[in-house]
Amino acid sequence: MSSMCNEKGYTFIWIMFVVAFAGIALAGAGQVWKTEARREKEKELLFVGEQFRLAIGSYYENSPGAKRYPDSLEKLLLDNRFPTATRHLRKIFHDPMTGVAEWGLISRPGVGITGVHSLSAHKPLKKANFHERYKSFAEADSYREWKFIYLPGEAGGGASQPQAQPQNQTNSPFDQKQPAQPQADQQQQTQPGSSMFPASPDPSGENDSLFRRREPPREGVNPG
């Protein structure tokens, strides 16, 4: 009887040990998952912040007349300064760190909004490998210090605006169309190696001996 009690006691201790070990393992896995999720949010914040910076730069650099910053983020969605309403930003993104579409605004009196920052007071995990523009983020104590600001003339300010391509530019040699030219002029202007395709036989007939197929002599006719 006592041996059975001892076995049950050992079994109970073993089960408690397994449960405790599983709890520690799950807690560790949960912490790893939480850290990875936080790092993904940091990447998203860097991307979204850059979109705001580019949109503010586009609004500023493409101003009709005197260059001005927007006085609200909504102006980035619908810029009425042009005959046709212009969009510099697709939407007001949510702050990945807070989960709401509310941002800290960096503005100057009489100038407008020059940038945005997160409203999260949490300390960032990322401390290195930032873009040169954001190298100061390495010393930030909170995400509030990750400030995405556009400065006049900064590279990439108008990147969100599509660039017009020259009309004579083509994407493929198959799309290129040459104006019709007289035969003599075309022969003079064609330079060796100017085409990616081999030249056609000379239509003038001067070199047709290379391409003419000799016909067999007819029956009963002296080929000489």
Side-chain angles (χ1 to χ4, degrees):
M1 185 70 178
S2 60
S3 62
M4 292 181 61
C5 291
N6 291 336
E7 289 180 1
K8 289 181 179 180
Y10 292 141
T11 302
F12 178 77
I13 293 174
W14 174 251
I15 292 174
M16 293 297 295
F17 174 78
V18 171
V19 170
F21 180 79
I24 294 173
L26 289 175
Q31 185 62 36
V32 170
W33 177 85
K34 186 177 180 181
T35 300
E36 288 301 316
R38 182 90 164 271
R39 293 190 185 279
E40 288 300 319
K41 289 184 178 181
E42 287 183 342
K43 292 179 182 179
E44 187 178 354
L45 177 59
L46 290 170
F47 172 79
V48 171
E50 178 68 2
Q51 297 305 302
F52 275 109
R53 189 191 72 84
L54 291 175
I56 293 172
S58 176
Y59 185 98
Y60 178 87
E61 297 294 344
N62 293 284
S63 297
K67 294 184 178 181
R68 295 184 58 84
Y69 285 98
D71 54 17
S72 69
L73 295 182
E74 286 70 22
K75 292 293 181 66
L76 301 176
L77 301 180
L78 189 61
D79 188 352
N80 291 320
R81 299 176 300 170
F82 302 90
T84 302
T86 302
R87 297 175 67 91
H88 303 276
L89 190 66
R90 182 166 55 88
K91 66 177 182 178
I92 302 297
F93 295 94
H94 283 69
D95 180 349
M97 312 314 298
T98 63
V100 297
E102 183 179 358
W103 294 85
L105 303 180
I106 304 169
S107 60
R108 294 164 54 190
V111 175
I113 298 173
T114 61
V116 300
H117 64 82
S118 174
L119 293 177
S120 173
H122 288 91
K123 189 172 183 177
L125 298 177
K126 184 176 177 65
K127 291 294 183 180
N129 300 323
F130 289 99
H131 187 278
E132 180 68 19
R133 182 181 295 113
Y134 303 128
K135 61 182 181 180
S136 63
F137 289 7
E139 301 176 358
D141 292 326
S142 72
Y143 293 112
R144 290 175 178 268
E145 298 179 30
W146 285 18
K147 297 181 178 180
F148 303 90
I149 304 174
Y150 178 76
L151 301 176
E154 197 171 25
S160 62
Q161 292 294 326
Q163 301 295 328
Q165 296 183 355
Q167 295 181 356
N168 59 351
Q169 183 177 353
T170 56
N171 296 326
S172 168
F174 297 99
D175 298 333
Q176 188 170 1
K177 296 181 180 181
Q178 298 290 345
Q181 295 181 352
Q183 183 175 338
D185 294 342
Q186 189 174 9
Q187 293 176 1
Q188 293 177 0
Q189 293 179 5
T190 302
Q191 299 295 331
S194 61
S195 173
M196 62 179 292
F197 302 105
S200 301
D202 184 5
S204 64
E206 296 177 358
N207 298 320
D208 65 349
S209 60
L210 299 175
F211 307 98
R212 183 184 302 164
R213 184 177 60 184
R214 295 193 58 171
E215 298 181 1
R218 298 179 182 178
E219 246 181 73
V221 179
N222 187 354

